Amino acid sequence: MDLGIKGKVALVTASSSGMGRNIALALAAEGAHVVLFARSADKLQAVCREIEERHGVPATAVAGSLTEAADITRLAGVLAGLSGPDIAVIVTGRPPNPLRDALEENELPRWDEAYQVQLRSVVQLVNGVVPAMVAKGWGRIVAVTSASAKQPMAKHALSTVFRAGVTAYMKTLANELGAHGVTVNCVAPALIDTSHRTGAAAYTPEQTARRQAMTPLGRMGTQDELSGVVAFLTSMQAGFVTGSTIAVEGGMVGSLF
């Protein structure tokens, strides 16, 4: 299926490795000019080379942090020079470790860090780059959250609270931006294989078996399966999907909605 985004300028954050990198590769495979944003300049340049070699499309690296206003301003300037953005896929960082039960999350600096990394950074990015989409009259925004925003998981309070906040923020944006031709959605993953982070198995066999038992499919999800859903939401064909949260968790969440 041709997603109709060839030549579109697609921003992907946290794209120097992991999930963000895989999403960037999926969009580049569809012909998008991907703008990579993350803190590591060297890693970003490596992903740019990989995109250009594998897919023959241009890629642009912008090193910076989602939590730094000056970096977002500089990113917006780069995007403006490319006549974009048309697409923004927002991947944020993880909460502070170690994970704790909710009542044990009693240290304000941990809450502040999680807020800045997972929610405030999203608002700051949207304020910096989305007005250009509105001016163009077309755009796709996809925020990668977590299935914990639909079904809270043990020891994930810091993630659940702020991922749910992002979900609410995206729903509000969808209501406000629809008239300008901009769709806004979330993708909420869980049980996705993360062995790409180290090149080795992410879990022990026992941990893997427990996770596999949490889904009717009886297996972990792949990075390609997650990236494919994100890519579809950026497509022309997804133009009537907005304000939605698409769960990519193999049926783990037990609710009807």
Side-chain angles (χ1 to χ4, degrees), residues 11-14 19 23 66 87-92 117-118 121-123 125-126 129-130 141-145 163 166 169-170 173 184-185 187 230:
L11 167 66
V12 183
T13 67
M19 184 187 302
I23 292 169
L66 282 173
I87 296 164
V89 179
I90 308 172
V91 183
T92 57
V117 170
Q118 296 179 112
S121 63
V122 174
V123 176
L125 179 72
V126 167
V129 306
V130 169
I141 303 169
V142 182
V144 179
T145 58
R163 302 294 194 201
V166 170
Y169 180 59
M170 291 293 138
L173 284 175
V184 187
N185 294 287
V187 171
V230 174

Side-chain angles (χ1 to χ4, degrees), residues 14 17-19 39 66-67 91-99 105 109-119 121 144-146 148 153-160 162-163 189-197 202-203 211 223 226:
S17 62
M19 184 187 302
R39 289 175 294 181
L66 282 173
T67 62
V91 183
T92 57
R94 297 166 64 82
N97 279 317
L99 300 178
E105 289 294 358
R110 282 171 59 89
W111 284 98
D112 286 343
E113 180 182 346
Y115 164 69
Q116 292 292 336
V117 170
Q118 296 179 112
L119 178 55
S121 63
V144 179
T145 58
S146 168
S148 69
M153 295 181 278
K155 299 184 183 296
H156 280 68
L158 289 180
S159 176
T160 299
F162 297 116
R163 302 294 194 201
L191 304 177
I192 303 298
D193 178 46
T194 57
S195 58
H196 61 273
R197 289 182 185 152
Y203 306 111
R211 283 165 172 76
Q223 289 290 315
L226 174 60

Side-chain angles (χ1 to χ4, degrees), residues 65-97:
S65 170
L66 282 173
T67 62
E68 295 293 334
D71 290 348
I72 300 301
T73 299
R74 182 163 46 83
L75 171 64
V78 172
L79 290 165
L82 297 171
S83 74
D86 303 297
I87 296 164
V89 179
I90 308 172
V91 183
T92 57
R94 297 166 64 82
N97 279 317

Side-chain angles (χ1 to χ4, degrees), residues 1-256:
M1 178 187 294
D2 180 359
L3 299 185
I5 59 173
K6 183 177 181 180
K8 296 290 188 184
V9 176
L11 167 66
V12 183
T13 67
S15 47
S16 62
S17 62
M19 184 187 302
R21 167 189 167 274
N22 290 320
I23 292 169
L25 286 167
L27 297 181
E30 294 294 327
H33 179 157
V34 180
V35 177
L36 306 162
F37 183 75
R39 289 175 294 181
S40 174
D42 290 345
K43 289 182 178 179
L44 287 176
Q45 290 296 340
V47 179
C48 279
R49 290 192 295 271
E50 183 179 9
I51 286 173
E52 291 166 357
E53 291 169 3
R54 287 177 59 176
H55 302 297
V57 296
T60 300
V62 181
S65 170
L66 282 173
T67 62
E68 295 293 334
D71 290 348
I72 300 301
T73 299
R74 182 163 46 83
L75 171 64
V78 172
L79 290 165
L82 297 171
S83 74
D86 303 297
I87 296 164
V89 179
I90 308 172
V91 183
T92 57
R94 297 166 64 82
N97 279 317
L99 300 178
R100 298 173 180 171
D101 290 335
L103 281 179
E104 294 176 357
E105 289 294 358
N106 51 18
E107 298 174 19
L108 187 57
R110 282 171 59 89
W111 284 98
D112 286 343
E113 180 182 346
Y115 164 69
Q116 292 292 336
V117 170
Q118 296 179 112
L119 178 55
R120 179 67 184 94
S121 63
V122 174
V123 176
Q124 186 161 259
L125 179 72
V126 167
N127 288 340
V129 306
V130 169
M133 286 186 188
V134 172
K136 294 175 74 170
W138 192 93
R140 300 283 188 266
I141 303 169
V142 182
V144 179
T145 58
S146 168
S148 69
K150 282 181 168 286
Q151 180 170 299
M153 295 181 278
K155 299 184 183 296
H156 280 68
L158 289 180
S159 176
T160 299
V161 168
F162 297 116
R163 302 294 194 201
V166 170
T167 303
Y169 180 59
M170 291 293 138
K171 182 66 173 181
T172 302
L173 284 175
N175 293 343
E176 295 178 356
L177 301 183
H180 301 283
V182 179
T183 67
V184 187
N185 294 287
C186 295
V187 171
L191 304 177
I192 303 298
D193 178 46
T194 57
S195 58
H196 61 273
R197 289 182 185 152
T198 63
Y203 306 111
T204 66
E206 293 77 13
Q207 290 172 327
T208 298
R210 284 198 297 271
R211 283 165 172 76
Q212 290 173 339
M214 296 171 69
T215 162
L217 297 178
R219 64 174 179 84
M220 303 284 281
T222 69
Q223 289 290 315
D224 285 346
E225 288 169 329
L226 174 60
S227 298
V229 173
V230 174
F232 173 73
L233 288 174
T234 71
S235 72
M236 293 295 185
Q237 292 88 335
F240 205 58
V241 181
T242 196
S244 295
T245 295
I246 309 301
V248 185
E249 33 69 285
M252 179 194 77
V253 174
S255 64
L256 292 176

